[in-house]
Amino acid sequence: MVGSPLNKLCLVLNQNYEPLSITNVKRAVCLIYLGKAEIIEPYNFGIRTISNSFNAPSILRLLYFIRIKRTNLPLSKHNILKRDKYICQYCGTKNGPMTTDHVIPKKLGGKYTWENLVCACVRCNNKKGGRTIEQTGMKLSRCPKRPHFFSIVHNLMKIPDPKWRQYLFLE
Ligand SMILES: [Zn+2]
């Protein structure tokens, strides 16, 4: 059943609190019963087992460390726009085709990096042209950074519990 509380999503953290994966409440409860995980944050609804009833887990943490080798997210126009949620980092619009803008222009030595590229609408990109933000008086809504792989994967996903935000580096 899709609407069942057992199918609610549950965020799994590694032993070091790094987000690892997403599972459902049913599988999360199994991990807890097997002694492999603990509840970090509960949902505000309960679930009942044969012998017990407790709040359903929203966030759980594994009690052992899983070593994973992550490949770095490739730097591309597509991933820059995704990181910035297709929002112009200068004026905040979501409308129209988006471009990537070099914060420090190429001709001034600005590099093709996560830290120097932002999503910009065509209007802001044209307005800024080959100048720096100081020269145009434009402001960035936030400082561009290399995204955590997990935050970009789930940027476009609806988060089922606001408590997840701090663990997904969205705050
Ligand atoms: Zn704009």
Side-chain angles (χ1 to χ4, degrees):
M1 247 171 67
V2 178
S4 160
L6 293 178
N7 288 330
K8 274 279 239 181
L9 295 178
C10 182
L11 176 64
V12 184
L13 306 177
N14 210 340
Q15 192 194 29
N16 64 354
Y17 292 88
E18 194 185 351
L20 198 61
S21 66
I22 288 171
T23 186
N24 60 27
V25 166
K26 192 174 160 190
R27 268 180 262 153
V29 171
C30 284
L31 285 171
I32 293 159
Y33 263 81
L34 292 170
K36 291 183 172 177
E38 64 176 4
I39 298 181
I40 298 291
E41 299 281 359
Y43 277 117
N44 55 10
F45 59 87
I47 43 173
R48 197 172 268 285
T49 64
I50 298 165
S51 55
N52 221 324
S53 79
F54 55 93
N55 274 10
S58 169
I59 302 175
L60 87 173
R61 169 181 165 248
L62 294 180
L63 295 174
Y64 54 97
F65 185 71
I66 290 195
R67 209 169 287 279
I68 12 165
K69 199 171 181 300
R70 297 200 201 291
T71 47
N72 273 339
L73 200 66
L75 177 59
S76 65
K77 177 183 175 187
H78 182 67
N79 281 338
I80 291 285
L81 300 190
K82 247 177 144 177
R83 178 197 64 188
D84 294 343
K85 300 181 191 171
Y86 298 87
I87 296 170
C88 174
Q89 297 298 293
Y90 295 109
C91 73
T93 186
K94 289 181 179 176
N95 298 327
M98 292 295 166
T99 63
T100 47
D101 175 61
H102 282 72
V103 179
I104 300 169
K106 267 187 278 188
K107 64 172 188 187
L108 299 178
K111 300 232 164 66
Y112 186 78
T113 58
W114 286 107
E115 292 79 12
N116 194 46
L117 290 164
V118 291
C119 173
C121 71
V122 176
R123 217 175 121 241
C124 289
N125 204 333
N126 287 338
K127 186 176 156 197
K128 185 164 170 286
R131 296 176 296 169
T132 64
I133 38 179
E134 289 79 15
Q135 287 166 340
T136 53
M138 291 164 86
K139 276 203 180 90
L140 276 174
S141 57
R142 58 182 180 163
C143 187
K145 286 188 291 201
R146 173 187 293 278
H148 185 275
F149 94 104
F150 206 87
S151 68
I152 202 157
V153 170
H154 295 283
N155 243 357
L156 305 170
M157 181 186 111
K158 197 172 177 305
I159 293 172
D161 186 345
K163 280 179 269 182
W164 288 24
R165 297 186 64 83
Q166 59 168 308
Y167 294 96
L168 294 177
F169 311 103
L170 299 174
E171 312 251 275

